[in-house]
Amino acid sequence: MKDIARDLGVSQMTVSKALRNHSDISEKTRERVLKRMRELNYQPDWIARSMVTKRTYLVGLVLPDLMHSFFAEVAGGVTRKLQPLGYQVVISNTEENAETERTHVANLINRKVDGFIIASAQRSGQEEPFRLLDKSEIPYVLIDRLIPGVEATYVGVKDEDLGELATGHLIGLGCKRIAHIRGPNVSTGVGRLRGYRKALTKRKMPVRNEYIVSGQHGDSTGYDAMLQLLKANPRPDGVFCYNDPVAAGAIKAALELGMRVPEDIAIIGAGNVHYSDLLRVPLSTVDQSSSIIGEKAAELLSERMESKKPLPVERVFIPPRLVLRESSNRRTA
Amino acid sequence: MKDIARDLGVSQMTVSKALRNHSDISEKTRERVLKRMRELNYQPDWIARSMVTKRTYLVGLVLPDLMHSFFAEVAGGVTRKLQPLGYQVVISNTEENAETERTHVANLINRKVDGFIIASAQRSGQEEPFRLLDKSEIPYVLIDRLIPGVEATYVGVKDEDLGELATGHLIGLGCKRIAHIRGPNVSTGVGRLRGYRKALTKRKMPVRNEYIVSGQHGDSTGYDAMLQLLKANPRPDGVFCYNDPVAAGAIKAALELGMRVPEDIAIIGAGNVHYSDLLRVPLSTVDQSSSIIGEKAAELLSERMESKKPLPVERVFIPPRLVLRESSNRRTA
DNA sequence: TTGAAAGCGCTACCAT
DNA sequence: ATGGTAGCGCTTTCAA
């Protein structure tokens, strides 16, 4: 930058302003500066700039599991929106570990990212990362998972509605003994479970504890959970699974035990991941508009990053939507 | 930092050194500094530090498609290795677009990342990002895809071997008319195609052009490619697909047309993505050790980032490994 | 073992 | 429309 100024016989200031299309710099000078800049192949130093402006144009995207394509899609939505605005996205994969999440968030705060989008792996009662965030005054948006006790802008579905929708669908199919493979102890897991209970209760169907087993994330665990479920007597004839990966594992287990899906047991998941249609039995699911969640979150965050004063907390709920495929394709009994 | 110094009646320098365990600062002083640091909840400013040290502890990870779980797994491997060393990983998703890749790489160079790991979407003849990189002197490691004309450290499989292995397997099964759904015009696509040809030629089997169709990435395209393939007369009885997502689509198409897999047509993919076992027909595939690729690349890169002088170019080839499942489970004819 | 001075590359602020 | 001064928060170099 100094070189350009020297070469052109103007001050460094003029150059600095010209490069940023600052208020009133004559067209002519700007042209000259830009020309020389290209000649020298000069690129402004983001770090030095950040140091004085206090803006890094970095955004932290904190996700529990990149391998789960729901989150990969969210990440796609976020970057698609944020890149054109000049932000770079730093993805932190917490592997569903609250402690990892805490350190990553602390790190990113030190790095002075301009904002956060977080699908948190914190269990209830652990709000430390959010206290750090609030203290740092860096704006952030929660996605997918709400954290009790944390008042923050959020984008996601109402998980209770999702659970009720899925369970209600199974009931409508004529299933009499509906089980649930539940997720982890975060708002999504808890909410979907609550929706499941609610749907049953509303129709005056009993909620049986042996029909609720834990699945967590991943494929093999859905498999294990289903094996356990099928030990119950009588066996369930419908299962609402916490998410699609779990459901995929569940289908595998059911088939291995010689059951037919959906004839003997109907199965529905959640998330509508891209390969659900290609599974052993194409999977009915509840779509959560994953990439829209990412885009919307990016939008809300960028408003908050641009704004001088803190913007009000906003909660955006995206309506869940049934996607029916073979795994629940059954005539009403 | 100044505050700590003032409070303790020492110089800012002493504090700076104490915090970095610099050479010889008395134990006592260090303790005092650390204590006060915790009290004030002080965190060093990475940006200011970067400005003078010229190290950002950021690594750019440039991938063509996060939705493809092969790359998601690679990303997992990379971050798992790099986080503990104090690096943050900035993931850039180029969506298989050479132009996007170019701008992202340029951006990240400006941001002074310390190194790059790249699975490039550049087609042959486009080496611009790499010329930028070479000029910037930032170390980088290529993964998965080699770029002709770019001499760089690389981690991946020998795609020709992979193609030969997969095709050879189909031949061993007794398939007589083996087709290939080929990938994009990058080293992986080209190499696998070459391996396919080689395997056939070696066994003196004919290479028929109508048995080679283009699949690209994604699910529906594998589906489309298979539909096209099945118009051939006679129909192929074995297909080697560029990767698992393509193969998943291909299976769907074959089944829809009433063919049995593997009885009428055997199918094999590549990449061993995590859901391959859960597909309509569990998919035989060639494993590429995706997360090991990520880890190894991270290792090579960190050596190069720590080293003062440029380290020699290294090429690490991970041997491909057959994973046999139902989609190619057939008695030898 | 500790500290003072200088400067990294840029921009904010205020003058001209 | 242009420029001078100061300073962001840290580290490096060299002196005490």
Side-chain angles (χ1 to χ4, degrees), chain A residues 4 6 21-22 103 125 138-139 159 204 211 227 269 283 285 292 306 310 313 325 328 330:
Chain A
I4 301 189
R6 185 178 16 74
N21 303 325
H22 201 282
T103 57
I138 300 175
D159 287 291
K204 310 236 188 299
Y211 281 175
L227 291 184
L283 181 63
T285 185
I292 294 182
E306 311 288 346
V313 163
R325 299 205 185 91
S328 71
R330 190 153 82 168

Side-chain angles (χ1 to χ4, degrees), chain B residues 3 33 71 88 106 132 137 192 228 230 249 264-265 298 310 315:
Chain B
D3 298 346
V33 170
F71 292 114
Q88 289 279 350
L132 289 178
E137 309 216 302
R192 287 168 204 186
Q228 193 189 326
L230 292 180
D264 300 325
I265 189 164
R315 301 214 161 167

Side-chain angles (χ1 to χ4, degrees), chain A residues 1 19 37 41-49, chain B residues 109-112:
Chain A
M1 189 149 113
L19 290 178
M37 151 170 168
N41 215 291
Y42 162 86
Q43 293 291 136
D45 183 326
W46 278 86
I47 304 195
R49 185 175 283 181
Chain B
I109 291 177
N110 281 359
R111 287 194 185 271
K112 305 272 188 310

Side-chain angles (χ1 to χ4, degrees), chain A residues 11 13-14 17 24 26 29 51:
Chain A
S11 84
M13 269 315 353
T14 313
K17 284 178 185 161
D24 19 40
S26 73
T29 331
M51 170 113 128

Side-chain angles (χ1 to χ4, degrees), chain B residues 77-304:
Chain B
V78 169
T79 50
R80 225 177 348 270
K81 269 284 198 245
L82 247 29
Q83 303 264 21
L85 299 176
Y87 292 96
Q88 289 279 350
V89 178
V90 183
I91 299 183
S92 143
N93 185 353
T94 63
E95 303 192 330
E96 206 69 76
N97 179 327
E99 173 58 16
T100 310
E101 177 178 305
R102 206 187 50 70
T103 57
H104 285 200
V105 167
N107 262 336
L108 291 170
I109 291 177
N110 281 359
R111 287 194 185 271
K112 305 272 188 310
V113 300
D114 290 347
F116 279 93
I117 294 178
I118 306 181
S120 174
Q122 304 299 318
R123 300 307 187 260
S124 55
Q126 308 169 303
E127 299 113 37
E128 205 194 324
F130 302 100
R131 272 186 278 115
L132 289 178
L133 280 169
D134 289 332
K135 201 160 49 184
S136 74
E137 309 216 302
I138 300 176
Y140 63 99
V141 174
L142 297 181
I143 53 174
D144 190 48
R145 305 171 178 191
L146 278 164
I147 306 294
V150 176
E151 280 293 314
T153 293
Y154 168 85
V155 184
V157 302
K158 280 192 175 138
D159 287 292
E160 191 170 330
D161 292 357
L162 187 158
E164 203 181 337
L165 183 64
T167 311
H169 167 64
L170 294 178
I171 298 175
L173 245 41
C175 295
K176 299 298 179 206
R177 299 176 304 283
I178 299 175
H180 176 46
I181 302 184
R182 57 158 298 175
N185 239 320
V186 297
S187 71
T188 47
V190 174
R192 287 168 204 186
L193 171 59
R194 199 180 300 130
Y196 160 79
R197 287 213 161 97
K198 193 166 156 191
L200 292 180
T201 310
K202 246 189 198 162
R203 273 82 162 188
K204 310 239 187 296
M205 297 173 74
V207 177
R208 298 183 48 180
N209 273 335
E210 64 272 42
Y211 281 175
I212 301 178
V213 302
S214 181
Q216 309 300 335
H217 266 279
D219 310 323
S220 61
T221 49
Y223 178 88
D224 297 337
M226 186 57 133
L227 291 183
Q228 193 189 326
L229 219 41
L230 292 180
K231 288 186 199 139
N233 193 343
R235 285 180 168 178
D237 60 354
V239 184
F240 159 46
C241 300
Y242 170 62
N243 65 19
D244 284 359
V246 165
I251 290 180
K252 181 179 176 190
L255 294 180
E256 278 184 14
L257 288 185
M259 300 192 73
R260 293 166 307 161
V261 181
E263 292 82 355
D264 300 325
I265 189 164
I267 295 182
I268 184 167
N272 195 19
V273 302
H274 65 95
Y275 55 86
S276 293
D277 190 33
L278 305 166
L279 293 177
R280 232 171 272 188
V281 180
L283 180 64
S284 293
T285 187
V286 183
D287 189 90
Q288 304 175 59
S289 315
S290 31
S291 63
I292 293 181
I293 289 181
E295 289 173 20
K296 188 68 195 168
E299 224 167 79
L300 290 173
L301 181 64
S302 71
E303 287 171 13
R304 277 154 186 75

Side-chain angles (χ1 to χ4, degrees), chain A residues 36-328:
Chain A
R36 189 84 191 116
M37 151 170 168
R38 272 186 295 268
E39 289 168 9
L40 294 185
N41 215 291
Y42 162 86
Q43 293 291 136
D45 183 326
W46 278 86
I47 304 195
R49 185 175 283 181
S50 296
M51 170 113 128
V52 31
T53 58
K54 303 293 176 204
R55 309 267 275 114
T56 56
Y57 282 89
L58 247 32
V59 169
L61 176 57
V62 180
L63 300 174
D65 183 8
L66 256 186
M67 295 293 296
H68 183 351
S69 65
F70 169 75
F71 292 114
E73 283 180 41
V74 169
V78 169
T79 50
R80 221 170 2 261
K81 268 284 197 245
L82 249 27
Q83 303 265 21
L85 299 176
Y87 292 96
Q88 290 279 350
V89 178
V90 183
I91 299 183
S92 142
N93 186 353
T94 63
E95 303 190 331
E96 206 69 77
N97 179 327
E99 173 58 15
T100 309
E101 177 177 307
R102 206 185 51 67
T103 57
H104 285 201
V105 167
N107 261 336
L108 291 170
I109 290 177
N110 282 359
R111 287 195 185 269
K112 303 277 188 308
V113 299
D114 290 346
F116 280 93
I117 294 178
I118 307 181
S120 175
Q122 303 300 318
R123 300 306 187 260
S124 54
Q126 307 169 304
E127 300 114 38
E128 204 194 326
F130 302 99
R131 274 186 277 116
L132 290 178
L133 280 169
D134 289 333
K135 202 159 48 183
S136 74
E137 309 215 303
I138 300 175
Y140 63 99
V141 174
L142 297 181
I143 53 174
D144 190 51
R145 305 173 178 191
L146 279 165
I147 306 294
V150 176
E151 281 292 315
T153 293
Y154 168 86
V155 184
V157 302
K158 281 190 175 139
D159 287 291
E160 190 168 330
D161 292 358
L162 188 158
E164 202 179 337
L165 184 64
T167 311
H169 166 64
L170 294 178
I171 297 174
L173 242 43
C175 294
K176 300 297 178 205
R177 299 175 305 281
I178 298 175
H180 177 46
I181 302 184
R182 57 158 300 172
N185 239 321
V186 297
S187 71
T188 48
V190 175
R192 288 168 203 186
L193 171 59
R194 200 181 300 130
Y196 160 81
R197 286 212 162 97
K198 194 165 156 192
L200 292 181
T201 312
K202 247 189 196 163
R203 273 82 162 189
K204 310 236 188 299
M205 295 172 72
V207 176
R208 297 183 48 181
N209 273 336
E210 64 273 41
Y211 281 175
I212 301 177
V213 302
S214 182
Q216 309 300 336
H217 266 278
D219 311 323
S220 60
T221 47
Y223 178 89
D224 296 337
M226 186 57 132
L227 291 184
Q228 191 189 327
L229 220 41
L230 292 179
K231 287 188 198 137
N233 194 343
R235 283 180 169 180
D237 59 355
V239 184
F240 160 44
C241 300
Y242 169 61
N243 65 18
D244 285 0
V246 165
I251 289 180
K252 181 179 176 189
L255 294 181
E256 277 184 15
L257 288 185
M259 301 192 72
R260 292 165 308 162
V261 181
E263 293 82 356
D264 299 326
I265 189 164
I267 295 181
I268 185 167
N272 195 20
V273 301
H274 66 95
Y275 55 85
S276 292
D277 190 33
L278 306 166
L279 293 178
R280 229 171 274 189
V281 180
L283 181 63
S284 292
T285 185
V286 182
D287 189 89
Q288 304 175 58
S289 315
S290 32
S291 63
I292 294 182
I293 289 181
E295 289 173 20
K296 188 69 194 166
E299 225 167 79
L300 290 173
L301 182 64
S302 71
E303 287 171 13
R304 277 154 185 73
M305 292 188 299
E306 311 288 346
S307 151
K308 297 290 171 199
K309 24 191 167 300
L311 261 41
V313 163
E314 228 172 297
R315 301 215 160 166
V316 177
F317 292 101
I318 310 230
R321 193 170 50 80
L322 275 178
V323 176
L324 300 183
R325 299 205 185 91
E326 196 56 29
S327 72
S328 71

